[in-house]
Amino acid sequence: MTDIDWTRLPPLTALRAFEATARLESFSAAARSLNVTHAAVAQQVRALEDHLQLALVRRDSRGMTATPEGARLAAALGEAFRKIQEGVDEVRASEDAAPLKISLTPAFAENWLMPRLGSFWATHPEIELALIPSTALADLRAGGYDMAIRYGSGAWPGLEAELLTSTRFVVVGTPELTGDPRPGSFAELTRFTWLTAQDSPEQALWAESTGLSWTRVRATSFPTTGLSLAATRAGYGLSIQPITLVEDDLRAGRLAALFEQESLGLGYHIVTRPGHRPPRLRAFIGWLRQAAGPQAGI
């Protein structure tokens, strides 16, 4: 394949303006098809004629027509633009056939998304999802992700972030561990052993927002939120849990809520690349908003 010498080619905007003018035989019609002004099309065509040192269009009694040189160029441009459109359509078709690739934290996937996902599949059985649970930051473009769901403030440069839901976390422990009377302040809780989950960086971010750092307390790490919760129920220490996971334990008295605080600007966000919102992704984001609702939490 011969390399393209871009220095020999006129600007693409001028070629588009001329192809539309020659095909429609009108500056005004070309302007409407390209969604620009009549003057802009005329200026681009004149610039192309100056670049090539050739007359490409002329006016006669029938209106505007292409010169013989212009007709040959218009035919070549029309074929080239059709091939470009076919290539773009093929890429879009292959993208539409592929599952939506979504990066999200394991804790969010397990505790928020999975209990609700059945309603999405019921309404959009034609949209496949590839859920990639990970605690690592995802490069959406390099990784080929359509979107991510991440916990934080939403200030991620170069990306579009929309708050999906705020988060209610609570510090819990068994009544036997904490004793009676229970600790009266958050500072008193630092003397206990803490149980953390490697699959939930959200917990660490929330803890830092309250002034707690894992480096200043005794902390035992578990691979998953489920294991840290099981260890908490066994009385091995305190942990930070989504309120939805421990509501039954709190009602039954198996666990005691020792500290609860609003997320202070933190929450789960829908994160996308700027300008990347194909129809299938818009449908999924619309469902997420509906599933979250005005009072949603995790």
Side-chain angles (χ1 to χ4, degrees):
M1 181 181 295
T2 304
D3 291 340
I4 298 173
D5 184 356
W6 293 102
T7 63
R8 295 174 54 193
L9 293 179
L12 180 60
T13 52
L15 295 174
R16 289 177 63 235
F18 167 69
E19 188 280 332
T21 299
R23 174 166 44 85
L24 300 172
E25 298 184 338
S26 165
F27 285 148
S28 296
R32 288 192 295 271
S33 71
L34 298 175
N35 196 29
V36 296
T37 65
H38 176 287
V41 171
Q43 182 179 7
Q44 291 290 346
V45 172
R46 283 195 294 270
L48 182 60
E49 290 179 321
D50 291 341
H51 181 91
L52 298 175
Q53 294 296 295
L54 288 171
L56 299 176
V57 295
R58 64 189 173 201
R59 292 184 179 275
D60 54 29
S61 58
R62 295 174 298 171
M64 180 178 291
T65 58
T67 65
E69 294 82 4
R72 288 197 297 272
L73 178 59
L77 290 173
E79 181 179 355
F81 288 145
R82 279 190 293 274
K83 286 186 176 296
I84 292 173
Q85 181 174 321
E86 289 171 1
V88 171
D89 289 344
E90 288 178 3
V91 170
R92 283 177 173 163
S94 63
E95 182 182 12
D96 288 342
L100 288 177
K101 189 175 180 182
I102 300 166
S103 173
L104 68 173
T105 63
F108 182 87
E110 179 180 356
N111 302 324
W112 193 94
L113 185 60
M114 295 311 297
R116 296 169 169 83
L117 197 53
S119 68
F120 176 75
W121 284 330
T123 54
H124 295 282
E126 77 286 359
I127 301 179
E128 294 186 43
L129 303 177
L131 304 178
I132 316 296
S134 174
T135 58
L137 293 177
D139 187 326
L140 299 189
R141 189 175 300 279
Y145 292 100
D146 291 286
M147 64 166 283
I149 298 176
R150 282 294 183 268
Y151 184 75
S153 66
W156 295 294
L159 297 171
E160 294 179 350
E162 171 190 337
L163 180 64
L164 175 63
T165 177
S166 58
T167 310
R168 292 180 61 202
F169 284 117
V170 60
V171 177
V172 293
T174 61
E176 294 78 12
L177 176 69
T178 57
D180 191 18
R182 294 172 186 168
S185 69
F186 185 69
E188 293 181 52
L189 300 179
T190 59
R191 62 185 172 87
F192 292 93
T193 296
W194 288 75
L195 311 174
T196 66
Q198 297 169 12
D199 71 344
S200 183
E202 300 95 312
Q203 294 180 2
L205 285 174
W206 184 85
E208 290 172 5
S209 75
T210 67
L212 173 66
S213 170
W214 295 143
T215 61
R216 299 205 306 268
V217 298
R218 298 189 308 275
T220 300
S221 177
F222 291 87
T224 67
T225 300
L227 287 175
S228 72
L229 180 53
T232 305
R233 288 169 175 155
Y236 299 148
L238 308 182
S239 67
I240 298 169
Q241 298 292 340
I243 188 68
T244 53
L245 287 190
V246 294
E247 285 176 329
D248 290 343
D249 295 280
L250 296 176
R251 280 193 292 266
R254 291 186 296 268
L255 293 176
L258 306 175
F259 182 78
E260 184 176 355
Q261 180 174 293
E262 292 298 324
S263 56
L264 302 178
L266 301 176
Y268 286 96
H269 291 76
I270 297 168
V271 185
T272 57
R273 306 194 304 267
H276 180 72
R277 290 286 178 98
R280 296 176 310 135
L281 182 57
R282 291 200 299 270
F284 183 63
I285 290 174
W287 171 82
L288 284 172
R289 294 177 183 137
Q290 184 178 20
Q295 303 297 327
I298 172 174

